[in-house]
Amino acid sequence: MRITQSHEPIRLQLLVEGTLSGAWVEELEKCWLDAKQTLNGEEVRVELSSVSYIDDRGRLLLARMFRDGVQLRATGVMSQGIIDEIAAQNDSPNGLHKY
């Protein structure tokens, strides 16, 4: 698993690669919360296109992030399906990007 941060003009992107499970869920949460403290109105996007597996704790974290306004993005069927479920459960397409 690897998490790479990149700053774009209007957003911070967290590129997640590998599996979002076990201890890696806490690592993504830590990266997100740390980044949140230093943002000056920037959006946060989590790119999940290189994620091969997301466990239940990973899903819960992504749902929490989504509710907090984080944009979730994916191209893979599994990851996009999870994003769609999260958006449907929260009755709002805000932050949801399909590519």
Side-chain angles (χ1 to χ4, degrees), residues 2 12-13 15-16 20 27-28 37 44 46 50-54 65 69 73 83-84 91 99:
R2 179 171 39 176
L12 167 70
Q13 178 168 287
L15 172 63
V16 182
L20 183 54
E27 187 63 29
L28 177 58
Q37 292 179 349
V44 177
V46 174
S50 297
V51 172
S52 59
Y53 175 73
I54 302 171
M65 294 171 83
R73 181 175 162 187
I83 292 171
D84 290 345
D91 293 324
Y99 293 91

Side-chain angles (χ1 to χ4, degrees), residues 34-71:
D34 288 349
K36 225 172 110 165
Q37 292 179 349
T38 61
L39 296 176
N40 295 321
E42 292 174 289
E43 299 173 350
V44 177
R45 178 190 305 167
V46 174
E47 174 62 58
L48 301 164
S49 294
S50 297
V51 172
S52 59
Y53 175 73
I54 302 171
D55 71 7
D56 289 339
R57 288 176 49 225
R59 288 173 188 240
L60 290 173
L61 175 60
L62 292 174
R64 191 170 132 221
M65 294 171 83
F66 181 86
R67 286 189 302 271
D68 195 55
V70 172
Q71 297 176 357

Side-chain angles (χ1 to χ4, degrees), residues 1-3 19-29 61:
M1 164 91 174
R2 179 171 39 176
I3 301 169
T19 64
L20 183 54
S21 61
W24 293 111
V25 175
E26 288 89 21
E27 187 63 29
L28 177 58
E29 181 176 34
L61 175 60

